[in-house]
């Protein structure tokens, strides 16, 4: 039977970035309201996609209908007879993974940005016809989406008719169209593809060779068969950018050209590790958040914020395992792994927000804090990604040390208990599950690390696995490299207790962050102040770090800074730099017991990985 909810979408004017969409409801309600979501699952911020609707009109069998607006994102029609058709235009000019984008080079959309839903029909099957733009210049355009085909066209990349079980499924298969490049492979019998849009010279064969083991690994990690029939990575290559959004059978990625391996180059660029990490992260979400998900997300209420205290599990655990996906498949060395860990861990040790916001609150408040950061963010917040990953690591080590299970076993049980049978995870579900599986009473661990504030017990746990955690000062403005350096470097240098960024004009250095209790804050300097001189000599973004360092800890300097257009003078007593970066050192000559424990945890494929 043909679905009663039908969509047609067409890039009607690529130059003006306009998609034209028609929604037809064959059996509308007497008063039929249609509405766009306010947010997209996976990105916890109210975005009010309705602001991109340009014009809208409804008609029934007798002709055009008037409408009454319904709240900020809806329209109500009173159809007189027959079906109701609503035609509208969407302005698509957001080059991120969260909305929609269209020009003469390609089109991309998330269903949340383009498909109105018909109230009362959200659970009905839908059909969607996707058309290419008119004109011979678009003859070669193809389409890449994991929406299920409803026509009998064999070429999966051709435009045509698609279907979804309900609205929730419709909006979980983003669509890319244009003249993208394609790589394809099978992982555990499931067809996989990555399509590349944008200008690039990437070595696609190398990327394919590296993605295969990552996908194989995670399918086997949770246990074959994979929960999806096929999987698609949609990669948008740009000059500068980074981001990803997970979906049930695909992911949309944004990456910079320079992070991809180039054809003919001997070694991949350093950013390639991040790109592969991003792929692993979004792929892991296929299980952890797309199928194992908080009960409050079932179903998603797309009109308002939906709060969960569990994002530390869904983003934090995923951030822990994405790097493991690379390490356990030999795509990074152990040394690389610990460098990345240093970068991630430093993100929490640097900020006094660690002592003010708990992981559970950070998750709950994602909508108003993590996604809407202000000048005080490092002093008031902690990321459920970064601290969630560190707590996942601590939990894994603790379980390996004190019980017969590891976090790997927990993930698999989460899959069997919640993900596979499609049961929502209650807010206390994960903590209870871990205690049940391990037989440990972890109440204190969870109270402190999840609901409390302060440093996770990483240092002492890693020691049991032959890894030394060290703290040192940053060696340049905003450094967060995870690279090993002597910890006593910079002990006597001067420091303002800030992070600098480029000032909007030609002169000066902008104070991007002003850290709590630092020399700058103590003397009255503020975030967004533009420092133009230190001891009466001009400074800028590239010179100020060294200039302040050379003055030495304990010395007093005169700082001139603009706040708005007002020049202000400050006397600042410089501090010694805080040792708030962490780095990890592989300990040699550990006991055999520790050595075995370390190997079992890392499961890196080869001894010689250590040498690089
Ligand atoms: Zn994520």
């Amino acid at each position: 039977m043909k679905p009663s909810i039908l969509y047609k979408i067409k890039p009607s004017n690529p130059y003006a970035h306009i998609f034209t969409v028609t929604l037809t409801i064959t059996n509308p309600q007497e008063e039929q309201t249609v509405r766009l979501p306010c947010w997209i699952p996976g990105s916890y911020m109210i975005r009010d996609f309705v602001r991109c609707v340009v014009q809208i009109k409804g008609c029934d069998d007798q002709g055009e209908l008037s409408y009454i607006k319904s709240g900020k994102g809806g329209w109500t029609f009173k159809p007189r007879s027959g079906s109701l058709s609503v035609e509208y235009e969407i302005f698509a000019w957001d080059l991120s993974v969260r909305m929609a984008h269209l020009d003469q080079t390609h089109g991309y959309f998330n269903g949340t940005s383009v498909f109105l839903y018909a109230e009362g029909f959200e659970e009905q099957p839908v059909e969607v016809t996707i058309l290419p733009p008119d004109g011979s210049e678009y003859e070669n355009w193809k389409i890449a989406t994991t929406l299920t085909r409803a026509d009998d066209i064999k070429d999966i990349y051709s435009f045509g008719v698609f279907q979804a079980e309900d609205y929730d499924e419709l909006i979980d298969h983003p669509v890319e169209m244009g003249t993208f490049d394609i790589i394809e492979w099978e992982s555990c019998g499931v067809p996989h593809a990555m399509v590349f849009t944008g200008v690039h010279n990437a070595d696609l064969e190398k990327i394919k060779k590296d993605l295969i083991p990552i996908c194989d690994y995670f399918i086997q990690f949770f246990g074959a068969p994979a929960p999806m029939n096929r999987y698609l990575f949609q990669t948008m290559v740009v000059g500068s950018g980074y981001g990803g959004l997970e979906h049930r059978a695909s992911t949309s990625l944004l990456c910079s050209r320079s992070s991809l391996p180039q054809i003919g180059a001997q070694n991949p660029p350093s950013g390639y590790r991040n790109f592969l990490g991003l792929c692993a992260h979004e792929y892991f979400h296929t299980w952890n958040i797309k199928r194992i998900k908080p009960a409050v997300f079932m179903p998603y209420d797309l009109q308002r914020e939906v709060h969960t205290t569990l994002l530390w599990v869904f983003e934090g655990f995923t951030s822990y395992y994405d790097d493991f996906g690379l390490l356990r498949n030999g795509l990074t060395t152990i040394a690389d792994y610990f460098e990345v860990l240093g970068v991630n861990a430093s993100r929490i040790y640097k900020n006094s927000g660690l002592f003010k916001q708990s992981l559970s609150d950070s998750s709950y408040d994602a909508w108003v804090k993590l996604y809407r950061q202000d000048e005080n963010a490092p002093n008031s917040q902690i990321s459920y990604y970064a601290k969630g990953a560190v707590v996942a690591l601590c939990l894994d080590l603790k379980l390996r040390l004190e019980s017969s299970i590891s976090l790997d076993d927990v993930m698999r049980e989460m899959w069997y208990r919640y993900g596979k049978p499609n049961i929502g995870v209650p807010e206390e579900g994960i903590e209870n599950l871990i205690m049940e599986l391990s037989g440990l009473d972890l109440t204190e661990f969870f109270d402190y690390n999840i609901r409390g504030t302060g440093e996770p017990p990483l240092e002492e746990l890693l020691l049991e696995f032959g890894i030394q955690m060290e703290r040192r000062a940053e060696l340049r403005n905003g450094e967060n490299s995870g690279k090993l350096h002597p910890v006593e470097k910079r002990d006597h240098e001067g420091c303002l207790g800030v992070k600098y960024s480029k000032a909007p004009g030609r002169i000066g250095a902008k104070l991007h962050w002003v850290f709590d209790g630092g020399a700058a804050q103590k003397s009255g300097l503020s975030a967004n102040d533009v420092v133009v001189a230190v001891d009466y000599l001009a400074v800028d973004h590239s010179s100020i770090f060294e200039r302040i360092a050379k003055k030495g800890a304990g010395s007093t300097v005169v700082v001139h800074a603009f706040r708005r257009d007002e020049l202000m003078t400050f006397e600042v007593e410089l501090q010694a730099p805080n040792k708030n970066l962490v780095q990890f050192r592989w300990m040699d000559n550990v006991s055999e017991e520790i050595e075995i424990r370390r190997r079992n945890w890392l499961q890196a494929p080869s001894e010689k990985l250590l040498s690089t």
Side-chain angles (χ1 to χ4, degrees), residues 42 244 246 281-282 285 314-315 318-319 385:
E246 66 277 5
H281 181 98
E282 304 305 343
H285 273 317
F314 295 102
E315 290 302 347
T318 302
S319 299
Y385 283 87

Side-chain angles (χ1 to χ4, degrees), residues 160-306:
V161 186
F162 300 82
Q163 62 189 23
E165 261 178 36
D166 51 23
Y167 185 78
D168 181 60
E169 189 196 339
L170 174 69
I171 58 168
D172 206 15
H173 297 281
V175 173
E176 173 68 36
M177 52 179 80
T179 54
F180 42 77
D181 298 314
I182 307 169
I183 48 176
E184 291 176 315
W185 69 94
E186 277 200 0
S187 277
C188 301
V190 178
H192 283 59
M194 181 177 270
V195 299
F196 297 82
T197 302
V199 181
H200 70 88
N201 185 37
D203 183 344
L204 303 187
E205 280 308 305
K206 159 116 186 103
I207 297 172
K208 174 171 150 182
K209 195 173 133 264
D210 293 340
L211 284 174
I212 291 172
I214 295 175
C215 298
D216 286 349
Y217 174 74
F218 284 129
I219 293 177
Q220 282 154 7
F221 178 90
F222 284 101
M228 62 290 191
N229 299 327
R230 54 186 279 237
Y231 191 87
L232 173 69
F233 294 88
Q234 295 164 326
T235 306
M236 178 79 212
V237 188
V238 293
S240 158
Y242 181 82
L245 193 60
E246 66 277 5
H247 300 281
R248 66 184 67 185
S250 62
T251 178
S252 299
L253 308 173
L254 186 74
C255 74
S256 64
R257 203 167 292 134
S258 61
S259 69
L260 299 177
Q262 301 299 298
I263 291 173
Q266 282 224 310
N267 293 309
S270 59
Y272 185 49
R273 184 175 69 189
N274 289 350
F275 174 73
L276 288 180
L278 178 66
C279 296
H281 181 98
E282 304 305 343
Y283 195 73
F284 193 81
H285 273 317
T286 311
W287 291 266
N288 194 34
I289 196 63
K290 291 317 300 187
R291 288 174 177 82
I292 309 164
K293 55 169 123 171
V296 293
F297 284 178
M298 299 173 79
Y300 294 109
D301 180 346
L302 295 171
Q303 287 305 316
R304 53 193 60 79
E305 297 88 342
V306 183

Side-chain angles (χ1 to χ4, degrees), residues 504 507 527-532 560-570:
I507 53 163
N528 293 338
D529 284 354
V530 174
V531 175
V532 290
H560 283 95
F562 277 103
R563 180 168 304 170
R564 301 178 298 276
D565 61 349
E566 298 167 24
L567 185 64
M568 299 170 80
T569 309
F570 303 84

